[in-house]
Amino acid sequence: MGVRELGLPQRVSSSGELPERVTIWEVGPRDGLQNEKSIVPVEVKLEFLDRLATAGLTTLEATSFVHPKWVPQLADAEQLLAGLDQREGVRYPVLVPNERGLNRALEAGVGHIAIFASATETFAQRNLNSTLDEQFSMFEPVVTRALAEGLEVRGYLSMCFGDPWEGAVPAEQVVKAGTRLLELGCSQLSLGDTIGVATAGQVEGLLAGFGEAGVDVGALAVHFHDTYGQALANTLAALRCGVSTVDASAGGLGGCPYAESATGNLATEDLVWMLDGLGVQHGVDLGALVETSVWMAERLGRPSASRVVNALGG
Ligand code: HMG
Ligand code: MG
């Protein structure tokens, strides 16, 4: 299937302050594929990563070194890293929850890891088999050693807006947990709307909360799932607050196996379309990206969730 002639969105500059350039943190190979019912063969994952790099994405979250029984879809992490043809100028972060995961990641030669915490007690239990406090004790030696080994460390914080078991999550609780991750030594904190319930005002409120706590907005990234169709609106709200790193997943793949009702991530193509319209640079070739998602949808046997992929890739 080819990509239709691109009718590019009309460029109209925004009235609010927007960053000149946005870094897209592509999570499709990890957040996208961790949630697939079937296990995607490692050769397909490798081609997916290669195509994403060809499309101009420079941060490709490749896989996770978690317990293979917890996420069997990513049990091939070692094999994937061994087969990865790493491109110059592209970084390939991986998720690591604990010291066992860090050992595996170091043996595989990774240069960038992400730890992932929960802002709520219930999700810490369900996703990491630990309490909210225990998760920080699990991460502390991981971050210390990773930094000593010269790795970059990102921190994720999940359930920043709503939690399927605990309901709305107070901003103060999120700021407290997020600040702890930064204090551990994470260079960036990605705020996750794991189940996609946030709306734009909440996003502004939470970012203001981090600002009041003395956190530089440059250290923050946003990670929206699109369950209620708010991911793009929430991203625009975050950009207007000064955020310039946005997580997205090619074709809108994604979800979390341990969070009821989590659906796909913000689709990278939908993000790119909006950024093009706003005149914000991102470095991605939309046509090549749409072709990649059409190709991946064929491998997975179902259409992409991305509106832009469906508009351009049919
Ligand atoms: P546990 O069962 O409590 O682990 O799991 P344990 O420490 O008790 O160890 C039990 C056994 O597992 C031991 O083996 C360990 O060696 C082994 P045994 O001695 O019995 O033979 N083990 C491991 N093996 C391989 N790799 C490892 C590892 N760790 C222990 N890393 C654990 C605790 C944290 C490991 C588990 O809960 C886990 O793997 N959780 C990961 C869940 C996950 O990946 N969720 C999805 C990612 S988070 C997400 O998607 C949200 C995000 O997108 C942001 C958002 O949307 O909000 C990031
Ligand atoms: Mg996620």
Side-chain angles (χ1 to χ4, degrees), residues 23-88:
T23 300
I24 301 179
W25 188 290
E26 171 61 46
V27 296
R30 193 280 304 171
D31 208 346
L33 299 186
Q34 77 178 9
N35 206 43
E36 282 302 312
K37 286 196 176 59
S38 58
I39 293 179
V40 175
V42 72
E43 301 75 37
V44 174
K45 292 177 179 175
L46 287 167
E47 185 170 345
F48 187 35
L49 283 156
D50 200 56
R51 284 170 175 261
L52 292 169
T54 302
L57 287 152
T58 52
T59 306
L60 300 176
E61 197 168 87
T63 187
S64 299
F65 285 89
V66 297
H67 196 301
K69 280 196 196 128
W70 283 65
V71 185
Q73 292 89 339
L74 304 181
D76 58 5
E78 274 84 1
Q79 222 185 323
L80 182 100
L81 264 293
L84 192 59
D85 184 14
Q86 300 208 15
R87 304 258 191 116
E88 222 184 299

Side-chain angles (χ1 to χ4, degrees), residues 237-274:
L239 295 180
R240 289 200 203 282
C241 293
V243 170
S244 62
T245 300
V246 178
D247 300 2
S249 165
L253 295 169
C256 178
Y258 294 101
E260 281 167 24
S261 73
T263 66
N265 290 74
L266 166 65
T268 314
E269 292 84 353
D270 299 10
L271 172 64
V272 166
W273 182 267
M274 180 179 80

Side-chain angles (χ1 to χ4, degrees), residues 9 15 67 82 99 149 229 299 306:
S15 51
H67 196 301
E99 291 192 271
E149 298 273 357
R299 303 278 121 10
S306 159

Side-chain angles (χ1 to χ4, degrees), residues 27 30-31 34 61 64-71 74 78 95-102 104 115-117 123-130 138 156-160 190-195 223-225 247 255-258 262 265:
V27 296
R30 193 280 304 171
D31 208 346
Q34 77 178 9
E61 197 168 87
S64 299
F65 285 89
V66 297
H67 196 301
K69 280 196 196 128
W70 283 65
V71 185
L74 304 181
E78 274 84 1
L95 258 59
V96 165
N98 55 12
E99 291 192 271
R100 171 89 179 88
L102 179 62
R104 292 175 58 204
I115 56 168
F116 50 103
F123 190 62
Q125 202 66 56
R126 292 196 176 236
N127 199 43
L128 294 165
N129 200 21
S130 79
M138 179 167 78
Y156 274 107
L157 189 61
S158 287
M159 303 297 174
C160 288
S190 176
L191 304 171
D193 182 16
T194 319
I195 56 168
H223 179 104
F224 295 119
H225 285 259
D247 300 2
C256 178
Y258 294 101
N265 290 74

Side-chain angles (χ1 to χ4, degrees), residues 207-250:
L207 291 170
F210 274 103
E212 281 157 26
V215 174
D216 184 334
V217 71
L220 299 176
V222 287
H223 179 104
F224 295 119
H225 285 259
D226 204 26
T227 319
Y228 287 82
Q230 304 298 303
L232 208 48
N234 290 340
T235 301
L236 183 56
L239 295 180
R240 289 200 203 282
C241 293
V243 170
S244 62
T245 300
V246 178
D247 300 2
S249 165

Side-chain angles (χ1 to χ4, degrees), residues 173-199:
Q173 185 176 326
V174 178
V175 172
K176 202 169 152 206
T179 311
R180 283 177 82 172
L181 286 177
L182 289 167
E183 283 166 359
L184 282 182
C186 296
S187 56
Q188 186 176 65
L189 175 66
S190 176
L191 304 171
D193 182 16
T194 319
I195 56 168
V197 290
T199 51

